[in-house]
Structure formats: C-alpha cells, structure tokens
Amino acid sequence: MAGFAVYALLWASFGVVHSVFAAGSGKRLLARLAGRGERLAYNAIALVHLLLVLWLGRLLLPGDFTPPLALRIVMALMILAGIIVLAVAGRAYDLGRFLGTAQLRDDPASIEPLATGGMNAVVRHPLYLGLLLVLWGAAASPFMLATAFFATLYIRIGIHFEERKLLALYGDAYARYQSAVPMLWPRLRRRT
C-alpha cells in the first residue's frame, strides 16, 4: 500500500510540473530560456519526468497477475482498438506542431485551426481515448493497473484545463463543437 501511495505522489508531481510549464509563469520561463523551442523544451521536460515516474512506479509496484482468458481477450481488443484510434486520430494533427519542432521554423504564435473532422467528429479528445484504451487494456499488473488509474485521473483533470484554453482560443466555435461532440466516449445514437 505504501508503494501505491508513493506512486500516487509521483503522478501528482508530474501533474503539477506539467501544468506549471503549460501556462503562466512556467510557460514564460520556458519561452525566455528556449525561445522558439519552448514547446520542444516543454515536451522534453514532460517526457523525462514521465519516464522517471514510470520507472520508479515499476520498482514500487512489482508483480503480475493473470486475468481469465475472456478478460485477456477483451484487454487485447482494447489495446488494438486504442492503437487504431491513435493512428487514425493522429492524422488530424500536425505532429511537428505537437512535438514542438514546427515552432522552430514557423511563427510559434500562429494558431492551429480547430480540428473537428475525422475522429474529432466522434469525440473531442480521440488521442486521449486511444491512450486510455491502450492503458486499460494493458492493466495486467499492479503497476499497469495503477498507471491506468492515475493516467485516467490525470487526463480527466487535464481535459478540464485544456478545454478552458480551447474555449479562450476558439470562442463560440469551440463552444458549439463542445456541445455537439462528446468528450471521450462516442455516442451510440446521433443527437437530434
């Protein structure tokens, strides 16, 4: 239980540091230090921090368990579905802009158009949906189960702040999109 609590604190540290550098004074600090490479530096810090959290989590929560065959099949299908969602949804985004390499050559202040087609017409956050499917599909150990839980919590909190930013950036266009398209889980029937 102590390992779980420490892992929770590690995830909290990731969430706080990631959030600090995503907005306000942390973002300005990165811009001052890295100039056009601000987004690249932000992603590098996040990646190193996340890898450290995951590595320590694996040490804190060892062991595996074997779910029943039917559950393993469902989990494998979740992983496959998540990979497909990530691959299809990823095509709607500019990878260079996401990683921060595009900002090195382009105007970093330019606004990316609001993506509402493809998978984004089904859910507002298809990349998060794909990631969650993969994480929960792989949750066959105490470490992966805790990782799926904390990542879900982190993503849900992050979506709240991300959507506030998107509303400020795109205004009424995002508000209309937000009311028409579900956040993470596709609707089974079309809304009338």
Side-chain angles (χ1 to χ4, degrees):
M1 194 58 150
F4 186 81
V6 172
Y7 195 42
L9 290 174
L10 290 168
W11 268 97
S13 77
F14 176 75
V16 168
V17 170
H18 197 69
S19 297
V20 164
F21 284 121
S25 59
K27 189 171 186 163
R28 286 189 294 277
L29 174 65
L30 283 179
R32 232 182 2 261
L33 295 173
R36 286 181 174 234
E38 173 219 334
R39 176 70 185 196
L40 199 56
Y42 170 77
N43 285 333
I45 291 168
L47 179 63
V48 169
H49 194 166
L50 181 61
L51 290 174
L52 181 62
V53 167
L54 294 173
W55 177 68
L56 290 171
R58 187 68 182 118
L59 295 176
L60 290 165
L61 301 169
D64 290 314
F65 44 81
T66 305
L69 178 61
L71 185 55
R72 286 197 314 263
I73 291 170
V74 169
M75 292 169 79
L77 290 173
M78 287 174 67
I79 292 171
L80 179 61
I83 290 169
I84 291 169
V85 167
L86 286 168
V88 171
R91 295 189 330 208
Y93 297 94
D94 178 349
L95 185 60
R97 191 172 194 66
F98 180 78
L99 294 175
T101 57
Q103 290 86 332
L104 295 174
R105 64 179 182 279
D106 301 330
D107 177 13
S110 67
I111 297 172
E112 187 174 9
L114 178 60
T116 59
M119 288 291 295
N120 291 79
V122 179
V123 292
R124 293 192 309 269
H125 303 282
L127 294 176
Y128 291 145
L129 172 61
L131 181 60
L132 290 172
L133 285 168
V134 169
L135 286 171
W136 283 102
S141 70
F143 164 68
M144 284 307 299
L145 188 59
T147 299
F149 175 78
F150 291 127
T152 301
L153 189 61
Y154 170 74
I155 286 170
R156 184 57 193 94
I157 292 168
I159 285 174
H160 170 76
F161 291 105
E162 185 176 338
E163 292 214 328
R164 285 178 41 190
K165 245 180 4 185
L166 292 169
L167 276 168
L169 187 62
Y170 297 109
D172 289 341
Y174 194 79
R176 285 189 303 276
Y177 173 64
Q178 197 175 32
S179 67
V181 178
M183 182 188 310
L184 277 174
W185 196 250
R187 288 191 185 98
L188 296 177
R189 296 184 295 132
R190 280 210 173 252
R191 237 168 109 168
T192 55

